Amino acid sequence: MSYCNRLDERDTFTYALVLLGYCLFLFPVTVSAQTLADGLGYPSGTKLIIVHADDLGETHAVNAAAIKALERGSINSASLMVPCPWFPEIADYATSHPDVDFGLHLTVTSERVYYRWGPVADADKVPSLLDKYRFFYHDWEHNQHINPKEVEIELHAQIERALAMGVRPTHLDSHQYRLIMNGKELFDVLLRVAHEYKLPVFVTRDWFADHPYLQQSLGPGDIVLDHTVTIGPEVPAEKWAEFYILELKNLKPGVTEFVIHPGFDDEELRAATRERSTWGSAWRQRDFDFFTSDQFRQILLQENIKLITWRDLAKMAARK
Amino acid sequence: MSYCNRLDERDTFTYALVLLGYCLFLFPVTVSAQTLADGLGYPSGTKLIIVHADDLGETHAVNAAAIKALERGSINSASLMVPCPWFPEIADYATSHPDVDFGLHLTVTSERVYYRWGPVADADKVPSLLDKYRFFYHDWEHNQHINPKEVEIELHAQIERALAMGVRPTHLDSHQYRLIMNGKELFDVLLRVAHEYKLPVFVTRDWFADHPYLQQSLGPGDIVLDHTVTIGPEVPAEKWAEFYILELKNLKPGVTEFVIHPGFDDEELRAATRERSTWGSAWRQRDFDFFTSDQFRQILLQENIKLITWRDLAKMAARK
């Protein structure tokens, strides 16, 4: 082999490596749609859903509705807001029901007006997260500086409180998608904390187009769901069931998380959410009503939709 | 005047001063029972009461019941728990109803089990007040070390948050009487903070026998109520009205604060207080029911009992 030939071979190898690196950059080897279903032992084309309740711990009315729906089997996964006043109630339930699929709904905002909460970490260690009354910000202004190091401190504090109180989370997600949709720095904090605690994070490839940094940061060991469905303010109250039925009938193969917000439309929830109707008390009652209805169960059977949980996904990932 | 005479005069003067000091030590010149009624412009022997609701801010059901009773005129004073999740709701009401007699119910415990709260101050500045989950302690053990300096930091933080949110308190009192009944050091902190903000503190001479340090610490400018009435767990539910009626019929002259705990016996309050019935949901509904009843109003008329507020007392003290 001449020196030139060796050089050529090295060049070809280097070129291949560069190409591979570029491809990995564009299409990181996350656990793909097909791989998730395969890994769970389902045939190709199977439609799998997680019916996931958000915001447990925020109010009693949300805890009570979620517990009722979980016990009926109507929802099969949920996540808990550690900084919220009713977290001890749902933590108590979680510790006495260790098989229930509970994650942590990591929370860095306090979006209501008449009912609020602040950090689990020392307030003086997370000043960029707090308003002048030392609650989490109601909302973030465009381009508001949120210090990623402070977010990391707060996420650790939330997870450590949950663990200390006996909760064994199956996954992490982000309240109001704050740590998903607000740039690479905050997403990287979320991902780093998730890796540290060996917990999957709720991410779906539906979000990659608008937030390409998600795909750049995710690695081959990270679980990525195929799709997510959540109802929005554009759906009028009388079309609630119709929206979900259509989504279920048009469901794509792979794993889809339905992010829902069940709650009981009672005095507490009406008062806690009264400043706006979006994600309010009647909204949450409608979610509870649809997902505990016979209609919902029948559609799952009709459409041959299977229910899976984050515990199933985490077990699958651990086997790899 | 001889030197001896002058010495004698000085001796007599010194003796009088010592005697006065001793008398002041034993009987400090607080604003007395008679003086309070006199100062308010009522004839000697008048029976005056403050009907005071505790624990506003703790839950929505307590806020809603207190607001309803205040607007009916059935209660005429209340105090707010700043560290609690529903404080923003009652602070909003207080700022839009600046004439209502609201004090701050300074809070250093979180006595419930399924629903909890922590400090307003930075958690790392008040470690002796916090349990392993960084909530205020559910309860204090006998001889537990509570650092008075940390209590002072926390009280400042609570008052500053209330002021920042627009509340203009008329008085201070202590949730679960923690800062009254737990020794001179904590009471002195409460009194020092009250003086700093020029606010009266709820103290009654009923407590002097069991807690003599109260009388030692109080000065001539401090308001001291004559009596207080609060219902206890020894009263069965069916004797609720009977207890209050008897107390009102046997009321002594001077100023008496009825410390009551109105609330609506609904899903939220039942869940928040479910670990024990004392000061629970049904208890609070009974208080609401009695103090908003026609029977209560009739007894006030029959017994010629007058209603006063902390605002009246503070104005009187300011005139002195």
Side-chain angles (χ1 to χ4, degrees), chain A residues 50-55 75-80 101-103 105 171 173 202 257-262 310:
Chain A
I50 304 170
V51 186
H52 189 280
D54 272 22
D55 300 348
I75 65 168
N76 67 342
S77 186
S79 56
L80 322 181
D101 194 52
F102 283 132
H105 199 51
H171 64 290
D173 54 23
F202 170 41
E257 176 163 318
F258 276 68
V259 175
I260 66 166
H261 300 85
W310 278 100

Side-chain angles (χ1 to χ4, degrees), chain A residues 89 122 125 133-134 274, chain B residues 89 122 134 161 274:
Chain A
E89 177 180 63
D122 302 329
K125 296 206 175 66
Y133 310 125
R134 299 155 67 91
R274 67 183 181 266
Chain B
E89 178 181 65
D122 302 329
R134 299 156 66 91
R161 176 183 278 179
R274 68 184 180 266

Side-chain angles (χ1 to χ4, degrees), chain B residues 59-106:
Chain B
T59 62
H60 170 67
V62 164
N63 286 351
I67 288 170
K68 195 162 186 178
L70 281 162
E71 294 190 346
R72 281 191 191 178
S74 313
I75 64 170
N76 67 342
S77 186
S79 56
L80 321 181
M81 295 171 76
V82 183
C84 289
W86 283 97
F87 176 71
E89 178 181 65
I90 198 69
D92 179 76
Y93 183 84
T95 55
S96 58
H97 296 79
D99 295 332
V100 177
D101 193 52
F102 284 131
L104 300 183
H105 198 52
L106 298 166

Side-chain angles (χ1 to χ4, degrees), chain A residues 113-127:
Chain A
V113 171
Y114 300 102
Y115 175 73
R116 305 196 65 197
W117 51 86
V120 177
D122 302 329
D124 53 353
K125 296 206 175 66
V126 294

Side-chain angles (χ1 to χ4, degrees), chain B residues 40-175:
Chain B
L40 291 162
Y42 289 99
S44 173
T46 307
K47 296 172 182 177
L48 300 162
I49 65 169
I50 303 170
V51 186
H52 190 279
D54 272 22
D55 301 347
L56 277 64
E58 188 170 320
T59 62
H60 170 67
V62 164
N63 286 351
I67 288 170
K68 195 162 186 178
L70 281 162
E71 294 190 346
R72 281 191 191 178
S74 313
I75 64 170
N76 67 342
S77 186
S79 56
L80 321 181
M81 295 171 76
V82 183
C84 289
W86 283 97
F87 176 71
E89 178 181 65
I90 198 69
D92 179 76
Y93 183 84
T95 55
S96 58
H97 296 79
D99 295 332
V100 177
D101 193 52
F102 284 131
L104 300 183
H105 198 52
L106 298 166
T107 299
V108 286
T109 45
S110 174
E111 73 276 16
R112 293 297 174 176
V113 171
Y114 300 102
Y115 175 73
R116 306 197 64 198
W117 52 85
V120 178
D122 302 329
D124 53 353
K125 295 207 175 67
V126 293
S128 78
L129 298 179
L130 306 185
D131 69 11
K132 61 185 172 179
Y133 310 125
R134 299 156 66 91
F135 298 119
F136 283 135
Y137 280 104
H138 176 268
D139 210 344
W140 291 351
E141 300 292 322
H142 182 62
N143 285 335
Q144 181 169 341
H145 177 66
I146 299 295
N147 184 330
K149 286 182 188 161
E150 296 175 14
V151 170
E152 194 153 355
I153 289 168
E154 177 58 24
L155 300 191
H156 274 122
Q158 292 184 17
I159 296 170
E160 289 300 323
R161 176 183 278 179
L163 293 172
M165 292 176 75
V167 178
R168 297 291 170 261
T170 57
H171 63 289
L172 300 177
D173 55 22
S174 168
H175 184 52

